[in-house]
Amino acid sequence: MPTNRRFLLQRRPQGDPVAEDFALVEAPTPDLADGQFLIRNHYASLDPAMRGWMDDADSYMPPIPLGTPVRASTIGVVEASRADGFTPGQWVMGLNAIEEYSVGTVGGFTQPIDPAAVPSITNYLSLFGAVGMTAYFGLFEVCEPKPGETVLVTGAAGAVGSIVGQLAKIHGCRTVGIAGGADKCARLTDRYGFDAAIDYRGKDEAALTAAIAQAAPDGVDVIFENVGGIILDAGLMNLNMGARVGLCGLISEYNSTAPVGARNLWRLIVKRASIRGLLVMDFVARFGEGAAQMGQWAAQGKLVVDEHVDEGIDNAYPAFMRLFAGSNQGKMILKLA
Ligand code: NAP
């Protein structure tokens, strides 16, 4: 059996993850038992949520045990199999880890995927994966936008945010996106069709509140929140009556050593607005429906998707940290083969 290279979590990060929290090790691939198959991982999805899985905290998934490879969705090819329904050469996707080889089990999370059904196999990690489904179900099921309403998207140039903005536009909404830097803001309007873009860098809460008011003069009916902190606080100050806030992520807080918290929740009372957390896993049974609709829009040229692919398991740490530095241009993916 081939040698495996694995990206282990060796220590729980305190604040920003540092390289010493991880270790790249070699290990033999195990012999397969009945019902198991060996996957050669070609791509791993790098997601902000992985930072939360590194903490020893009660969450929707157990913490990654220390000394084990960092949990990640992967796409790969079956290399050997003792499992019915999985044959060598077949493409599969599942919740595995950042490692060159993973062992799958019949009845587990790894399922066959069809490379012919998508423009690029990596689209299973972006448009047709958790990211795309978060955007689709988070926007339409949790935020319930109506045509003509104003939708504010934070983290708008990222994997989820860029799709949310385009979906809201397709739905007939006015869209305002917040992102870091002039280049990303240009991409929001030029590539993803946002009506207005706000660069949050160098702005305090008051300046952000004013910038949102200027970009959304009729107020904000929906916030699709990916960031938290003062960006969320500024959004709350601009809510319209009956507005909906879909709480998708709080990336600005993931590396904080102390909870941050929103300070302007009183605006929800004033505006009889609601805030609701969303978790993409709750919509797994409807992924087919979401993928079919998004595939149609993509084929019609109404939806573009950007992927940022870094190469090599040796680059797992710097590639992961791009998510927090904002240097990823689209869905962050690590190519492993
Ligand atoms: P992403 O947006 O492609 O990448 C992360 C981006 O976050 C960075 O490019 C950066 O963009 C921004 N960012 C990082 N640190 C920041 C900070 N301190 N302040 C402001 N912006 C910051 O990642 P993604 O996969 O699409 O995830 C986006 C959000 O969705 C995350 O919060 C994630 O946890 C959440 N999510 C939730 C679910 C769910 O089921 N609830 C599923 C998927 C993702 P800038 O350059 O613009 O700063």
Side-chain angles (χ1 to χ4, degrees):
M1 295 293 253
T3 299
N4 196 4
R5 288 202 296 164
R6 319 181 86 193
F7 180 66
L8 305 189
L9 179 68
Q10 26 178 42
R11 162 175 102 174
R12 304 219 176 270
Q14 302 297 316
D16 291 330
V18 294
E20 294 71 29
D21 295 330
F22 308 95
L24 188 60
V25 298
E26 288 195 357
T29 46
D31 292 331
L32 296 177
D34 281 342
Q36 289 186 330
F37 49 96
L38 185 68
I39 306 156
R40 176 63 171 108
N41 288 318
H42 284 232
Y43 298 97
S45 177
L46 300 180
D47 296 289
M50 292 157 68
R51 176 63 188 84
W53 305 339
M54 293 172 190
D55 289 337
D56 190 12
D58 176 33
S59 187
Y60 60 94
M61 274 206 190
I64 300 169
L66 290 180
T68 68
V70 173
R71 184 189 297 134
S73 295
T74 67
I75 288 177
V77 173
V78 175
E79 185 144 310
S81 177
R82 293 183 62 183
D84 289 341
F86 293 90
T87 50
Q90 188 178 29
W91 282 94
V92 290
M93 177 164 93
L95 189 59
N96 292 302
I98 303 179
E99 54 185 353
E100 291 177 334
Y101 293 89
S102 295
V103 173
T105 308
V106 169
F109 287 113
T110 301
Q111 297 297 330
I113 50 174
D114 179 6
V118 288
S120 159
I121 194 81
T122 51
N123 293 168
Y124 281 110
L125 297 178
S126 57
L127 199 56
F128 302 116
V131 154
M133 297 305 121
T134 301
Y136 183 86
F137 291 106
L139 180 67
F140 292 125
E141 298 293 323
V142 176
C143 297
E144 299 183 298
K146 297 177 195 68
E149 286 190 330
T150 296
V151 175
L152 176 69
V153 185
T154 69
V160 172
S162 60
I163 299 175
V164 171
Q166 294 177 82
L167 295 179
K169 199 75 205 155
I170 290 170
H171 196 60
C173 298
R174 177 175 159 76
T175 52
V176 177
I178 303 183
D183 288 352
K184 283 197 180 179
C185 285
R187 231 176 61 217
L188 291 187
T189 50
D190 300 350
R191 184 156 169 79
Y192 305 132
F194 279 84
D195 293 295
I198 297 167
D199 180 0
Y200 72 83
R201 295 225 169 121
K203 290 189 177 66
D204 62 11
E205 186 192 318
L208 276 168
T209 301
I212 297 168
Q214 195 180 9
D218 297 330
V220 169
D221 303 293
V222 164
I223 300 178
F224 193 103
E225 185 59 52
N226 287 315
V227 173
I230 62 166
I231 292 180
L232 171 57
D233 277 324
L236 293 173
M237 294 306 292
N238 283 282
L239 292 183
N240 279 337
M241 198 65 86
R244 286 83 62 206
V245 180
L247 196 55
C248 175
L250 296 165
I251 193 164
S252 71
E253 307 181 16
Y254 292 171
N255 289 327
S256 303
T257 45
V260 181
R263 291 172 302 114
N264 290 335
L265 289 176
W266 60 280
R267 296 303 296 173
L268 298 173
I269 301 169
V270 175
K271 295 296 177 180
R272 283 70 146 187
S274 63
I275 187 164
R276 187 175 148 198
L278 71 98
L279 191 60
V280 67
M281 287 157 65
D282 295 344
F283 299 96
V284 165
R286 295 178 58 195
F287 275 14
E289 173 196 329
Q293 178 60 83
M294 303 244 285
Q296 211 176 335
W297 284 328
Q300 292 166 352
K302 294 180 179 167
L303 198 49
V304 294
V305 63
D306 286 315
E307 297 173 349
H308 186 133
V309 182
D310 277 354
E311 290 212 15
I313 196 165
D314 322 55
N315 286 319
Y317 169 71
F320 177 61
M321 292 308 290
R322 282 186 185 280
L323 294 168
F324 303 100
S327 61
N328 62 310
Q329 309 287 341
K331 171 69 194 111
M332 195 65 225
I333 293 171
L334 187 66
K335 189 173 190 304
L336 297 172

